[in-house]
């Protein structure tokens, strides 16, 4: 009899029940889509930000003060402290090693550039040769295999007209400003002089980064090491790592934390905790976050996630109001039926159970339809914003169904 009364109610008022289920499905679909994207937006945006450049700078702890003019370090090559490149594989052994997207060592060498004749003109000028890796395989200790890294990983947004140099070839890319001043074009051979050392380099492309690289020459790290007489060494290291936005807890001094708080901080991918882990693997180094990038990432991630949660709350609230209004109208129209059931001896709890059963049936159907529609909407949002569909979160199915059944029956 209980189920017969409920099914009879659906048969007599199908439009209103379908309207209620449609409101639930629509609200659930929007909430599912926004929550699915919100749960992935941190990692997706963090990876997008990594195309803007590295967010950690590693330098020797006992290095001399830099002498920079126009972003170029003019310290003599023989001054200062250098770091061994053989230890770089240890970066992939830290606790958050999977968050280390890439790293690239750099060695700046003041050089004199002698250009062959181009369009009837020739000349020489002083500039900086920046030695680095474009894409190089690094051996990870303790049987960790190899890891491919370099500026291709740390700075994928750098644009090159032509192609990058080979890491084991006497090639180079020239900054756009320097190429314009010196009349350098791709395919030209440059004679690079640094003191008593020299090296002919074939220009494979023209690079434009908007930074100091536009006025320099980028070449394989081995070339810079040979010209400077510093084999197997570098002066600074850029690390690109996926991090969690900083909060008040991450800014606390680890030395003042309790053991439990320290474990929580150490096991969270804060930029400060990753910096500490890098210092533990590379002794005698100073690790500093590149604040312009790190702080900008944190602010954008926080605001985007807050927007997603606000849209989710608004969608669920709108669905709840629509269902509550429809349910209230239904009760008012069925007062005679309610009175008849009470006159026949039905208790208040039994009468409420009839309406509760209707609500639960509509909530389950609307929640399932909304969840399925939300997955499709999340796929569209992920493809249009990030070019990748977000991961399917099955945990959202019981959550959405439970939220639908939370609408108070009248």
């Amino acid at each position: 009899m209980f189920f017969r009364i409920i099914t009879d109610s659906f048969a007599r008022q199908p439009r209103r029940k379908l309207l209620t289920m449609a409101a639930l499905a629509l609200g659930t679909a929007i909430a599912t889509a926004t929550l699915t994207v919100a749960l992935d937006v941190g990692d997706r945006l963090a990876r997008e930000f990594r195309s803007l450049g590295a967010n950690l700078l590693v330098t020797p702890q006992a290095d001399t003060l830099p002498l920079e003019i126009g972003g170029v370090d003019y310290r003599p090559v023989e001054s200062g402290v250098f770091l061994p490149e053989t230890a770089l594989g240890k970066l992939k052994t830290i606790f958050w090693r999977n968050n280390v997207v890439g790293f690239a060592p750099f060695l700046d060498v003041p050089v004199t550039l002698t250009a062959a004749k181009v369009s009837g003109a020739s000349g020489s000028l002083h500039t900086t040769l920046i030695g680095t890796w474009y894409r190089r395989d690094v051996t990870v200790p303790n049987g960790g295999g190899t890891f491919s890294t370099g500026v291709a990983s740390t700075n994928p947004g750098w644009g090159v007209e032509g192609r990058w140099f080979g890491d084991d070839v006497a090639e180079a890319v020239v900054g756009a400003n320097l190429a314009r001043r010196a009349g350098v074009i791709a395919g030209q051979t440059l004679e690079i002089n640094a003191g008593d050392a020299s090296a002919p380099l074939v220009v494979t492309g023209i690079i434009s980064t908007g930074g100091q690289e536009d006025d320099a020459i980028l070449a394989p790290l081995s070339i810079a090491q040979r010209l400077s007489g510093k084999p197997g060494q570098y002066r600074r290291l850029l690390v690109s790592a996926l991090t969690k936005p900083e909060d008040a807890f991450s800014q606390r001094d680890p030395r003042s934390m309790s053991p439990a708080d320290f474990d929580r901080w150490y096991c969270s991918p804060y930029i400060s905790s990753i910096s500490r882990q890098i210092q533990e693997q590379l002794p005698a180094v100073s690790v500093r976050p590149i604040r312009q990038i790190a702080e900008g990432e944190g602010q954008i991630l926080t605001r985007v996630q807050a927007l997603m949660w606000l849209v989710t709350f608004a969608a669920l609230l709108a669905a709840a109001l629509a269902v509550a209004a429809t349910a209230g109208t239904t009760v008012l129209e069925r007062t005679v039926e309610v009175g008849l059931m009470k006159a026949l001896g039905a208790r208040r709890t039994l009468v409420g159970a009839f309406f509760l059963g209707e609500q639960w049936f509509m909530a389950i159907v609307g929640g399932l339809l909304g969840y399925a529609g939300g997955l499709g909407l999340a796929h569209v949002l992920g493809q249009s914003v990030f070019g990748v569909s977000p991961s399917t979160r099955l945990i959202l199915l019981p959550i959405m169904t439970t939220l639908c059944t939370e609408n108070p029956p009248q």
Side-chain angles (χ1 to χ4, degrees), residues 141-220:
N142 303 323
T146 60
F147 176 66
S148 180
T149 186
V151 293
S153 301
T154 60
N155 300 88
W158 282 0
V160 174
E161 182 181 346
R163 66 173 178 84
W164 275 93
F165 56 76
D167 285 294
D168 298 318
V169 187
E171 297 176 340
V173 294
V174 178
N177 295 340
L178 178 61
R180 187 166 46 251
R181 293 199 311 268
V184 176
I185 61 174
Q188 182 181 356
T189 299
L190 303 179
E191 186 67 27
I192 307 298
N193 300 291
D196 296 332
S198 63
L201 298 178
V202 178
V203 179
T204 60
I206 307 299
I207 187 172
S208 178
T209 68
Q212 68 180 43
E213 294 81 12
D214 288 358
D215 296 286
I217 301 171
L218 275 73

Side-chain angles (χ1 to χ4, degrees), residues 139 201 292 302 331 370 377 389:
T139 302
L201 298 178
Q292 296 90 335
T302 301
V331 171
L377 182 58
S389 299

Side-chain angles (χ1 to χ4, degrees), residues 3-57:
F3 294 103
R4 180 178 178 181
I5 293 176
I6 292 179
T7 54
D8 182 66
S9 174
F10 278 90
R12 286 187 290 109
Q13 296 178 325
R15 292 185 178 180
R16 183 162 294 161
K17 299 300 187 292
L18 290 176
L19 179 61
T20 302
M21 287 188 290
L24 281 171
L26 180 60
T28 305
I30 296 176
T32 300
T34 52
L35 282 176
T36 300
V37 175
L39 292 173
D40 272 7
V41 71
D43 291 341
R44 300 295 183 192
L45 283 180
R47 292 188 179 278
E48 290 292 330
F49 285 136
R50 295 285 53 80
S51 65
L52 302 178
N55 52 355
L56 286 169
L57 174 64

